[in-house]
Amino acid sequence: MAITLPPLPYADAALEPSISATTLQTHHGKHHKAYVDKTNAAIEGTDLADKSLEEIVAAAEAKGDKGLFNNAAQSWNHAFYWNSLTPSSAEPTGELAAAVAGSFGSIDRLREELASQGAAHFASGWVWLVARGDKLTVEQTHDAATFATGDAKPLLVIDLWEHAYYLDHKNLRPEYLKAVIEKHLNWNFAAENFGREGTWTYPA
C-alpha cells in the first residue's frame, strides 16, 4: 500500500499573513508531495511496500539507506508539522499545562525557548517540543532527523527549512518563528500527543 499525501487540516489561506497560501501550496503540494512520491518509488516492489511510514523510517535508518530515510522521515515530519499548526491558537490546559509549568515555569518561557532554539539552529532542520516521561524539553534535529521512532514522544514541531518561510519572511527566520509561536501552535494537538500511549502515526 502506497504512502499517501494527507490533505492540509485547514484551508491554504488559513494561516495568513504568518504563512501565506502560496507558501502552503508550494510547501505541501510540491515539497511534501515530492518526499512522498520518492518514498513510494523507493519501496515499490520491496518488502517495505506494505509497511507503515514509521516502519519504513526505522528500516531505512537501520539499513543506513540515507536516501530512503531522508524522504520517508521528511514525509512524516511534514505531516506532523501541518498538524502542529492551527489558524487560531489557544493556551494549553489540563495535564499539558501542568507539564509546561513544571518543565519551563510558564508557557511564555516555553515560547521563548522555542523561538531561541529555532533561531539559533544552523541550516535546515526542525525544532520540537518533546516529552520524555513527564518532562518536556525543546530539542532540535538537523535535516530530516525525526522523532517518528524512538522513546521520546514529539508533541509539536516547527519546520526550520527555508522553504517553510522564505516566500513570506525572506531570510528573517525569527520573524516567522514569532508569528507561528504566538499565533498558530496547535496546543490541542500537543495535548493529544502528550496523553496518547505511543507516538502519533502518519495517516494511512
Side-chain angles (χ1 to χ4, degrees):
M1 185 173 65
I3 303 302
T4 60
L5 175 69
L8 290 172
Y10 30 74
D12 291 349
L15 306 181
E16 290 186 335
S18 303
I19 301 175
S20 67
T22 301
T23 289
L24 281 184
Q25 289 159 4
T26 302
H27 195 176
H28 174 262
K30 297 186 183 298
H31 289 281
H32 190 180
K33 184 178 185 298
Y35 294 129
V36 170
D37 290 346
K38 289 176 183 177
T39 298
N40 283 325
I43 64 174
E44 186 176 3
T46 74
D47 59 356
L48 295 175
D50 294 321
K51 300 296 186 182
S52 70
L53 185 57
E54 291 79 16
E55 291 172 315
I56 295 166
V57 169
E61 188 169 27
K63 294 176 182 178
D65 187 337
K66 191 73 171 175
L68 178 56
F69 175 83
N70 284 343
N71 285 296
Q74 284 291 77
S75 297
W76 195 96
N77 287 351
H78 278 83
F80 194 82
Y81 170 61
W82 309 133
N83 284 282
S84 294
L85 303 178
T86 183
S88 182
S89 186
E91 296 282 304
T93 60
E95 293 182 358
L96 178 60
V100 168
S103 299
F104 297 96
S106 69
I107 184 63
D108 287 340
R109 183 67 192 90
L110 168 54
R111 289 183 175 120
E112 289 170 6
E113 187 68 15
L114 284 166
S116 175
Q117 289 207 36
H121 184 88
F122 182 75
S124 300
W126 305 82
V127 61
W128 305 78
L129 177 63
V130 174
R132 296 182 180 275
D134 293 331
K135 179 71 173 177
L136 306 187
T137 61
V138 173
E139 303 184 27
Q140 303 171 40
T141 59
H142 289 282
D143 300 324
T146 184
F147 284 102
T149 59
D151 295 333
K153 186 189 297 184
L155 305 186
L156 291 172
V157 73
I158 304 172
D159 193 340
L160 303 178
W161 288 61
E162 280 196 340
H163 60 238
Y165 58 88
Y166 200 86
L167 291 178
D168 304 321
H169 302 282
K170 303 306 181 192
N171 62 318
L172 302 178
R173 186 195 288 171
E175 184 179 283
Y176 153 74
L177 287 166
K178 177 179 172 64
V180 166
I181 291 167
E182 290 184 358
K183 300 176 183 176
H184 298 297
L185 286 183
N186 189 347
W187 294 106
N188 290 331
F189 181 62
E192 290 171 6
N193 291 326
F194 187 59
R196 75 174 77 246
E197 283 294 320
T199 298
W200 177 86
T201 54
Y202 192 91

